[in-house]
Amino acid sequence: MLRTIRTLLVTLVLAATIAHAQNLSITFRGVAGGVNAQLVEWITSYVIPTFEANNPGVNVELIEFGGSDEQLKQQYALDLAVGGGADIMGFDGFWIPEFVEGGLLQPLNVVGGPSVDAWEGWSQIPDGLESLMAFGGERYGIANGTDFRMIHLRYDVMEEAGIENPEAWQPTSWEEVLDAARILKQANPNSYPLQINAGTSMGEATTMQGYYMLLLGTGHFLLDEDGKWIVRSQGILDALDLYETIYVEEELGDPRIQLVQDGRNRSFANFRDGATAMLVEGDWFYRGPTSPGQEFEVANRDEVMGWTKMPAQAPGAGLRGQDFVTISGGTGFALNPNSDNGELAWELLAFMNSKEALDEAQKTQPRIRIRDDVPVPDAPFLTNTAAALGQYTTARPNQSVYAQVSYEAQLMTERVVSGEMTPEQAMNEYAQAVIELVGEENTVDLLN
Amino acid sequence: MQRRPILSLPTGALFMLPAGIFIVAFILLPFFWIAAVSFTNRTLTGRTAVNPEFVGLDNYLRLFDASRFLNSGEFGASLLITGQFVFFSAIIGQAFLGLALAWFFFNRKGWIQNTVTTIAIIAWIMPDVVVAFAWFAFLNGDGGTLNQILGFFGLPTPDWLLDLPLVSVIIFNIWRGTAFSMLLFSSALGAIPPSYLETANVVGASTWQRLRDIILPMIRSHIVTALILITLWTFNTFTPFLLTGGGPSYQTEVVSIYTYRTAFQFFRFGSGAAVGMVMMIINLGFALVYLSLLRTQRRSA
């Protein structure tokens, strides 16, 4: 009898050990040879083997995700709500507020334990970058870095159309951007020279790379100085009018790819093929998709591809009286509160953000890293964008309702570019929707 | 004579218990949960995920808010799209084409009939995702199989899923579902006593007369059953999502996709549950029509 009990106990202990085997999983939007392939490469060929070698008995698994950002967010919300999900999750910083308020995320030091606050890396990370993945005074993750948005150009296509010296071209108003697009369209009537994202299919890429870049150029923002949501303004109308000019009246951009599921990839393909010569995107577009060996590699990139600042509607008309506009966000990694190995997961996250690991990451994708002690790579594109755009940038409202307002803004642009509504009608629908979301007392109508 | 039940009441209840538990756990409880959630502003993320509030009929009123009911991406527009989708792909397409095919191959033997039946069944048993993927490639605007064929004959080559999205998903669904109705109608036709048709032949009835006076009246009840079932399935189908995701710009957003988008893309469980309730009531309407038709048939039989 005693023996039976002992056997049973041993079995139980063994089973418990197996159940607590040190397994970690990590997921983000990335596929080997596909989207974010450089990040995948760094994880699989450096982070995982090195971490496993330093921590015997630990298994780290990468779960690739090939869908869109919106689909990933949906997956996370469902995973976390039922107590599942990978231990380390690639997160866009602006998702954090609604996940936190929904009880789906916990602060790093709750999941990872006391060693989180004692981490040496915090002293190397500037406060502004730390806040990319923070909410309500708590840290929920570590960002990979921040980004900027600009107009990416195809010099070769512009030169062919007769625009001289495109390397020095810096438009100072929307009209100058349109004029260049018209010249390109005239030179090649079948092309869609200008791409400014619109529509709900591209999700946040529409808000960040499209709507904001126009709205900020009118001097407005989503919120006024008192933190009230602006539901109607001349700025919104002007931005929508520009969309209408580009996609409906002159077809300087292709309205259809704003509406389809894989539209953003199609816009990248157009740029790669030279059918689009001016594409408003983040610096990720340069670091990732168009770089050598990646999905939308632009052949002979150093010669034919460049960028210029996005101008305000007119000089001085932009946000804070600026001549040029841009906006920043950031993605990174967060810890899953459902993790069985929270402390170990933190160790892996901390390792991923160690100087040693980030130095290694610079080899697959040079960028300005979040840590001050990781040298800025010798890449003119990166240093120039940071120097030129840093002074103009702003960030999204860090509120949980933001994602829904952002969707309404995307829908508003979609209604204009699809020709369903006039800018005025679309703005009124937007106003009604935002009032429903945040309550009339938290909104302001600048046209009344 | 006294009727004696085979099982005593407690024993009978015991046998019913497992099924009863399943029905309660997987049908009744979720139903009441959804009904309850549809009166709240519950979401998956954000403050209302933790503390949902009772909002009364707000979710329903918003669904039927006349000022935007028919805007693209709203419930009314989605119902209209579903109506067209069901009418063309279920009633005209699957039922009509299925009956036509079944009749065409009725009483014919040989390899053509076998081949067509086999192909139809293969089309029907393939998994949705595989089929959708094949159709996605088939309809692709640049270089898709269909456009290569059309181009070869010098015909226009539209970007099907972009320019004619609703037509594309309707054709897709007809292709997908016709096999089933064909099988259904074939077996119905097989049940007609051969002597009826032989007699008709002897008295010199034309093809049309045979169809009108013998075949259709004989399989009337099958047609009604098939129509109701196909309509219900098509009304609830989610497969167009695999082809178009409901787009571009909501042009193929049938109500099942609308529900999904509300509940799982916007995380608005409250509104999603309200749409679910409305859909259930519509389905209930179909089911009632179906049941009452069955009853009249039984009475007249």
Side-chain angles (χ1 to χ4, degrees), chain A residues 74 77-78 81 98 101-104 200 256 259-261 266 404 407 411 414-415 420-421 429 432 436, chain B residues 44-47 49-50 62 65 68 71-72 159 162-163 244-245 248-250 260-261 264 266-268:
Chain A
Q74 183 186 347
L78 295 170
E98 57 175 313
E101 285 194 352
L104 302 177
T200 52
R256 298 178 313 167
L259 308 178
V260 291
Q261 279 180 300
R266 288 188 187 217
Q404 283 169 285
Y407 173 82
L411 184 58
E414 174 161 320
R415 285 169 163 159
E420 187 199 352
M421 291 186 187
E429 292 293 325
Q432 193 191 347
E436 267 177 33
Chain B
L44 182 57
T45 62
R47 193 176 37 79
V50 190
R62 203 196 167 283
D65 177 354
R68 64 180 134 199
N71 281 350
S72 75
D159 198 335
L162 266 180
D163 300 330
T244 62
S249 214
Y250 312 109
Y260 168 78
R261 187 164 61 89
F264 293 106
F266 292 171
F267 309 139
R268 291 180 193 154

Side-chain angles (χ1 to χ4, degrees), chain A residues 62-80:
Chain A
L62 167 67
I63 303 165
E64 296 184 349
F65 187 90
S68 68
D69 286 321
E70 280 65 32
Q71 288 163 338
L72 182 63
K73 179 183 174 192
Q74 183 186 347
Q75 181 78 53
Y76 283 173
L78 295 170
D79 279 351
L80 291 170

